[in-house]
Amino acid sequence: TAVEPSVVHSDEEEEENEDSMVVDGAPVAMKRAHPAAVSLLETDVEVDLEPSDEYDEVIRRERRRKEEFEAAKAKLAEREVQKTKDIELRQANIAALKASIKPESPDDASGDASPIAKVRFSLPNGRVTTRRFATDGSRTTQDIYDYVRSMDDDLFDIEFDLVSRGGASVSA
């Protein structure tokens, strides 16, 4: 609701500012506004409001927080993709290693004249296994390491030594 400013006029000014007219057959008295008065009734007023510095700072902080969140989210997604690729590559390498393992040499009683070595392994996970290896090839030590790596996936990526019960160490 708009309030028309009130101005005190003398009686002579009141009479000068009054007009009458007939609207729909009824007399209507109209009062003219004082020449110095301004009427704001049914007037459109446009006001430009500038945001405060504090508001701008809050908007900047929020925008920066969202950008940091999106960057962290993208980095996490990238790490997850890389982790998946690494797992798939590791599994492929383990499968290739297992496929490259030579079959176990037959027992001496089979009549085969090639010398064999019978080796018993105690793995870190508590598993104990025994296997025969042919000693006629140049890769016998590497074959033993590959076999142990194929038995326990946790040993695939780490360096380890084969140790005999007497404490002697065998290096690949």
Side-chain angles (χ1 to χ4, degrees):
T1 8
V3 177
E4 188 172 336
S6 62
V7 179
V8 178
H9 302 285
S10 66
D11 287 340
E12 285 179 15
E13 289 177 346
E14 287 292 325
E15 290 175 8
E16 288 177 11
N17 289 333
E18 283 189 17
D19 285 331
S20 62
M21 64 187 305
V22 177
V23 176
D24 293 332
V28 175
M30 275 184 12
K31 208 177 211 183
R32 282 185 284 166
H34 188 272
V38 176
S39 174
L40 296 178
L41 295 177
E42 296 185 29
T43 303
D44 291 335
V45 177
E46 287 187 30
V47 178
D48 289 332
L49 298 176
E50 296 289 325
S52 68
D53 291 338
E54 292 86 18
Y55 177 77
D56 287 343
E57 181 61 29
V58 167
I59 294 299
R60 276 193 297 274
R61 277 192 307 235
E62 184 64 22
R63 188 178 303 127
R64 187 177 17 197
R65 187 189 65 75
K66 283 182 182 177
E67 289 170 356
E68 289 171 357
F69 175 76
E70 290 300 322
K73 195 165 101 173
K75 196 172 191 177
L76 179 63
E78 184 179 308
R79 268 191 273 159
E80 288 295 321
V81 167
Q82 186 61 43
K83 185 178 177 181
T84 302
K85 286 180 182 178
D86 290 347
I87 289 171
E88 290 171 354
L89 178 63
R90 184 174 190 272
Q91 289 173 342
N93 288 340
I94 290 171
L97 177 69
K98 287 181 179 182
S100 72
I101 302 292
K102 294 178 183 175
E104 186 171 11
S105 296
D107 201 4
D108 285 326
S110 67
D112 189 3
S114 64
I116 62 164
K118 191 172 187 178
V119 183
R120 181 174 180 208
F121 302 99
S122 296
L123 301 175
N125 64 6
R127 182 175 175 192
V128 176
T129 184
T130 304
R131 181 145 197 264
R132 292 179 301 278
F133 294 91
T135 58
D136 58 353
S138 63
R139 287 187 31 116
T140 303
T141 305
Q142 187 62 45
D143 289 341
I144 293 171
Y145 272 94
D146 290 347
Y147 176 74
V148 171
R149 281 192 178 92
S150 72
M151 295 302 296
D152 187 351
D153 290 349
D154 293 334
L155 295 175
F156 182 77
D157 296 324
I158 62 172
E159 294 292 323
F160 62 91
D161 289 325
L162 297 174
V163 181
S164 69
R165 289 191 183 221
S169 176
V170 178
S171 299

